[in-house]
Amino acid sequence: MPLRVYYDLLSQPSRAVIIFLKVNSIPFIECPLDLSKGEQRTEEYAKCNPFKKVPAIDDDGFKLAESITIMKYLAMKHSVSDHWYPVNLQRRARVDEYVDWHHSNTRALGRLLFRFQMFLPVMEGIEPDASKVQQCRLDFVNVLDTIEAVFLKNQNFVAGDEISIADLAAACELMQPGIAGFDLFSQRPQLGAWMERVRSQTNPHFDEAHSVARKWREEYSLKCPIAGEWKL
């Protein structure tokens, strides 16, 4: 049975998995879910992913959740180019180092910033809490500083000089605050150059995966206009 992939392109981890699959020409059946309608909360979907989140895969009966784990699994099963998840122990450890840090930093803090500035106002009609947005903004600035000073220090990608699953996880996450009106790149040329390298090595799939999010941003701007762009 072909690989089935459950996702919503408004989900950053979903986008990372979809981009990875398409860049590496791994065949799969698309099973989109609409998170805004709660389609991930059904008991039927829970049979695939008991956490009721996206993404998830069903590989001929083998069901797996968590985007990073999914990409690692697919990289090893399909023998994709080694740079995605290297066989070399030390190079692989660098990828794992970033993705382990990613969960409680880039992912967690970026998600909060997006939630307070955009998701709650749009989905629940709650006005942005200026103090919470500001604190999230300050926390996320520290994340960006660390990515530049540690993970991009003297190398082209976050885990070395070649693109890896770590870059997909990071890039998809860093696109999300931009949807909420935060400018991450104009005053951070190092970060901006890295993002362009990721895009150039994964396009057209990178831009295609983010097109839904951009449309959501346009709709959001009409409902709750953004007063300019915040620099991070």
Side-chain angles (χ1 to χ4, degrees):
M1 184 169 61
L3 173 70
R4 302 178 69 87
V5 181
Y6 298 86
Y7 70 94
D8 184 332
L9 289 178
L10 286 179
S11 153
Q12 305 93 298
S14 288
R15 295 197 295 265
V17 169
I18 293 296
I19 294 166
F20 178 82
L21 285 161
K22 292 186 175 182
V23 167
N24 288 289
S25 302
I26 298 173
F28 68 100
I29 295 174
E30 297 190 21
C31 303
L33 297 175
D34 189 335
L35 299 186
S36 67
K37 296 179 180 178
E39 292 178 356
Q40 78 281 14
R41 300 194 187 100
T42 66
E43 291 307 312
E44 184 62 28
Y45 180 62
K47 295 176 183 178
C48 180
N49 183 355
F51 309 121
K52 298 183 179 181
K53 295 181 178 181
V54 291
I57 64 171
D58 183 342
D59 189 14
D60 196 17
F62 177 69
K63 298 167 183 177
L64 192 64
E66 299 299 326
S67 60
I68 300 298
T69 303
I70 289 170
M71 289 191 286
K72 290 179 180 180
Y73 168 78
L74 294 171
M76 291 183 283
K77 176 176 180 178
H78 293 276
S79 300
V80 301
S81 296
D82 183 69
H83 59 81
W84 288 109
Y85 193 52
V87 172
N88 177 273
L89 180 62
Q90 293 184 356
R91 291 177 61 206
R92 176 171 291 193
R94 287 300 181 202
V95 174
D96 289 335
E97 179 183 43
Y98 174 78
V99 296
D100 287 345
W101 181 85
H102 173 90
H103 288 296
S104 56
N105 291 276
T106 317
R107 170 73 178 145
L109 298 175
R111 184 169 175 266
L112 284 177
L113 186 62
F114 180 79
R115 177 177 176 80
F116 287 124
Q117 173 59 31
M118 183 170 185
F119 184 83
L120 290 179
V122 172
M123 302 305 297
E124 299 184 18
I126 299 173
E127 286 296 316
D129 184 317
S131 64
K132 288 183 178 179
V133 171
Q134 177 63 7
Q135 185 57 56
C136 290
R137 178 185 176 278
L138 294 174
D139 291 341
F140 203 65
V141 165
N142 289 332
V143 168
L144 300 180
D145 288 344
T146 301
I147 291 175
E148 290 185 313
V150 177
F151 295 105
L152 290 175
K153 183 180 180 180
N154 301 322
Q155 56 188 29
N156 289 325
F157 296 95
V158 296
D161 282 324
E162 293 184 284
I163 194 171
S164 71
I165 62 171
D167 295 284
L168 288 184
C172 290
E173 207 64 52
L174 292 186
M175 290 294 288
Q176 203 78 351
I179 298 168
F182 293 93
D183 176 7
L184 275 62
F185 305 111
S186 68
Q187 295 183 7
R188 291 180 178 269
Q190 181 186 17
L191 196 68
W194 162 77
M195 179 63 81
E196 283 305 308
R197 287 192 290 272
V198 174
R199 288 183 65 243
S200 68
Q201 293 200 24
T202 58
N203 262 340
H205 311 298
F206 188 93
D207 286 346
E208 289 172 356
H210 287 88
S211 62
V212 172
R214 291 193 185 94
K215 290 178 182 177
W216 208 67
R217 158 73 187 272
E218 292 170 3
E219 181 180 353
Y220 164 74
S221 297
L222 293 175
K223 291 182 178 180
C224 185
I226 297 171
E229 300 278 341
W230 288 276
K231 308 293 183 182
L232 291 182

